[in-house]
Amino acid sequence: MMTLLFARHGETADNTNRVFQGQRGGGLSPRGRTQAQRLAARMRTASLDAIVASDLERAAETARIIGAATKLVPAFDRDLREIDVGAWSGKSYEEIKKMFPDEWAAWSAGQDIARGGGETYAAIAERVARAVSRIIASHENERVLVVSHGGAVRSYIAKILGVLGAQGMRALSGLGNASLTVIEIESERAVLRAWNDTAHLEGMSVDDRAD
């Protein structure tokens, strides 16, 4: 049996300011580094065999903090990047509502559109699935921490649960910064064991808004 532990990166200034990062954005905020350190402390006893992460700065920084605590050197995979939101990147919620009212209305209604000319959730789910397939092939029957992004992980989990679509995606809550989501894979069957686990962040408020 293989276990994949999906972690969302720690908080960034853009998360706090409600700015869509997509495939842009910087590293962790001081609070985000604290969250990553809390997650790293938990991972010391998780018997990890490997860490694979998105190469975007916020995920890479989170992975390196955990790697230092677990004595594992993270590998990086571009297919684990966050959803590309195109022209929405770097803009606040309020700016997007004004600049792209039709797209905002469609997305808010649950439609899977390519926001800002970027990707759909269906497209990112396939991209993340490619990365997961490579991880499974390289780490059979191991425990691997996958450090990625809220939209990326949520889309992939929706895909394996068979609920990837307008209403299915809305049935899944967002993922908090530095949260854990766990699946077990045996004989090509994936079982969701934990969703948005933030027990290691006790005492810290958790933001699960979109990346």
Side-chain angles (χ1 to χ4, degrees):
M1 181 177 66
M2 182 173 191
T3 301
L4 295 178
L5 300 90
F6 290 89
R8 185 186 176 195
H9 61 80
E11 185 180 272
T12 68
D14 282 340
N15 290 149
T16 304
N17 295 326
R18 304 192 76 180
V19 170
F20 281 91
Q21 298 165 103
Q23 296 192 359
R24 302 181 190 174
L28 303 180
S29 65
R31 175 183 165 86
R33 283 189 286 276
T34 298
Q35 292 171 335
Q37 288 160 0
R38 292 268 198 100
L39 178 56
R42 183 173 179 180
M43 290 298 96
R44 285 194 190 101
T45 58
S47 301
L48 296 178
D49 295 294
I51 301 172
V52 184
S54 156
D55 64 344
L56 295 180
E57 186 176 353
R58 56 195 184 272
E61 185 177 356
T62 301
R64 291 189 179 103
I65 289 170
I66 299 168
T70 58
K71 296 180 169 43
L72 293 170
V73 178
F76 298 98
D77 191 323
R78 290 172 58 90
D79 277 344
L80 293 172
R81 287 183 170 194
E82 179 58 299
I83 190 168
D84 182 358
V85 292
W88 284 30
S89 299
K91 295 180 175 60
S92 70
Y93 284 43
E94 293 306 315
E95 288 175 320
I96 291 167
K97 289 178 185 178
K98 294 176 182 176
M99 296 175 68
F100 307 96
D102 293 341
E103 286 188 7
W104 180 268
W107 179 65
S108 298
Q111 295 180 35
D112 188 11
I113 62 170
R115 289 170 284 162
E119 291 177 298
T120 62
Y121 288 120
I124 190 180
E126 292 297 329
R127 172 160 59 77
V128 174
R130 291 196 299 269
V132 170
S133 293
R134 290 192 291 271
I135 293 168
I136 292 171
S138 300
H139 299 281
E140 185 177 0
N141 296 324
E142 293 184 345
R143 291 173 62 84
V144 181
L145 178 69
V146 181
V147 184
S148 187
H149 307 265
V153 175
R154 189 164 168 249
S155 299
Y156 174 70
I157 296 299
K159 173 182 169 60
I160 66 172
L161 291 177
V163 297
L164 184 62
Q167 297 308 314
M169 282 286 290
R170 299 181 84 186
L172 292 173
S173 71
L175 294 170
N177 289 112
S179 64
L180 279 175
T181 292
V182 181
I183 63 171
E184 292 177 348
I185 301 172
E186 188 169 16
S187 300
E188 298 185 357
R189 177 174 176 260
V191 176
L192 180 64
R193 292 297 185 191
W195 174 261
N196 195 32
D197 180 351
T198 57
H200 49 285
L201 302 177
E202 184 178 2
M204 300 182 75
S205 60
V206 177
D207 186 348
D208 63 0
R209 290 173 293 194
D211 252 356

